[in-house]
Amino acid sequence: MECKLVNLSNDNVGIAQLNPLIFSVEQKLSILYDVVRWQLAKRRVGTHKTKGISDISGTTAKPYSQKRTGRARQGSLRSPQFRGGGIIFGPVVRSYAYSLNKKVRKFGLKIALSLKYSNNQVVVLDNLDIDVKKTSEMCKYIKNFKFSSFLIVGDYGDNLLYAARNLHYVNLIKPIGLNVFDILNHECVMLTSGALKHLEGRLL
């Protein structure tokens, strides 16, 4: 599979070879659902917590006698029926992460890339070695491509990162961090030639 190789000015500089085992696989949307759900579950921060009866500060003494008071029997003032008492079956600190097979995760990444390629939303860049220090300069490069949001994958320098971080529709990511959720969350995926080699070693 052949694809145009361009620079950030959208000038054609050659031909890039795309592996059909990565960019032309069967599109199973159920796999994408499973992978995105797994990613979002890992991102959840389960720090919600309420105080149970053992977490409430207070005496452990019985508030009054068991019998002969005419009142309901009570064993602790920290019980949930009292003001300031504990919460029964409240949320506790936990992790929402769960495991997903590596084959499914790899297949999901292939499907996401294939989906973008079939919709002509994959751009292959020669490199990211440009002298950009201002956000306005980065905007001029991005305007050469007619998409609403961009995920740029490759080895970039700090100057490029600083120039792009104020653009909410442009995200930079290293090849090792490429994932299904970010691919689907951006209209255009820009891959450098180095990122293509990394993907072949990672997915094949």
Side-chain angles (χ1 to χ4, degrees):
M1 296 169 57
E2 292 185 349
C3 180
K4 287 196 306 182
L5 183 66
V6 300
N7 54 24
L8 273 176
S9 299
N10 204 9
D11 297 327
N12 193 355
V13 295
I15 298 294
Q17 296 292 332
L18 300 181
N19 196 315
L21 296 178
I22 297 177
F23 292 92
S24 183
V25 300
E26 183 182 358
Q27 297 177 9
K28 294 184 177 180
L29 300 184
S30 61
I31 299 293
L32 291 182
Y33 171 81
D34 290 339
V35 177
V36 170
R37 185 170 177 269
W38 168 74
Q39 280 189 244
L40 294 181
K42 286 181 61 178
R43 292 188 182 189
R44 292 186 67 176
V45 181
T47 54
H48 44 26
K49 187 180 186 305
T50 57
K51 287 187 177 182
I53 191 171
S54 61
D55 301 318
I56 300 295
S57 61
T59 179
T60 59
K62 189 175 178 62
Y64 47 81
S65 298
Q66 178 87 345
K67 298 180 180 297
R68 292 180 295 276
T69 63
R71 302 174 64 184
R73 51 195 173 190
Q74 304 292 344
S76 171
L77 289 178
R78 297 180 297 169
S79 298
Q81 64 267 30
F82 290 110
R83 182 178 182 274
I87 302 297
I88 299 302
F89 302 127
V92 295
V93 177
R94 54 163 292 193
S95 171
Y96 287 90
Y98 59 90
S99 61
L100 189 68
N101 290 341
K102 287 183 179 179
K103 289 183 179 180
V104 177
R105 283 145 50 184
K106 283 186 177 182
F107 192 32
L109 193 54
K110 293 178 184 179
I111 294 173
L113 291 171
S114 299
L115 185 64
K116 288 295 181 181
Y117 179 77
S118 64
N119 293 330
N120 296 321
Q121 294 175 336
V122 172
V123 175
V124 181
L125 302 173
D126 53 352
N127 56 63
L128 295 175
D129 298 332
I130 55 173
D131 187 18
V132 173
K133 296 182 180 179
K134 293 186 177 181
T135 303
S136 58
E137 297 174 356
M138 188 64 185
C139 284
K140 292 179 181 178
Y141 284 110
I142 290 300
K143 286 181 180 179
N144 294 319
F145 303 91
K146 307 301 181 181
F147 296 101
S148 61
S149 59
F150 301 86
L151 179 66
I152 303 177
V153 186
D155 294 320
Y156 50 84
D158 290 339
N159 288 339
L160 186 62
L161 177 63
Y162 298 152
R165 66 181 177 179
N166 278 340
L167 301 175
H168 65 88
Y169 52 88
V170 178
N171 281 324
L172 295 171
I173 192 170
K174 298 287 187 180
I176 189 69
L178 186 61
N179 60 86
V180 173
F181 181 77
D182 285 336
I183 292 175
L184 298 180
N185 210 28
H186 295 80
E187 185 180 4
C188 176
V189 178
M190 291 183 166
L191 301 165
T192 62
S193 54
L196 287 178
K197 294 180 181 178
H198 176 84
L199 282 175
E200 290 182 358
R202 174 180 171 184
L203 299 177
L204 298 180

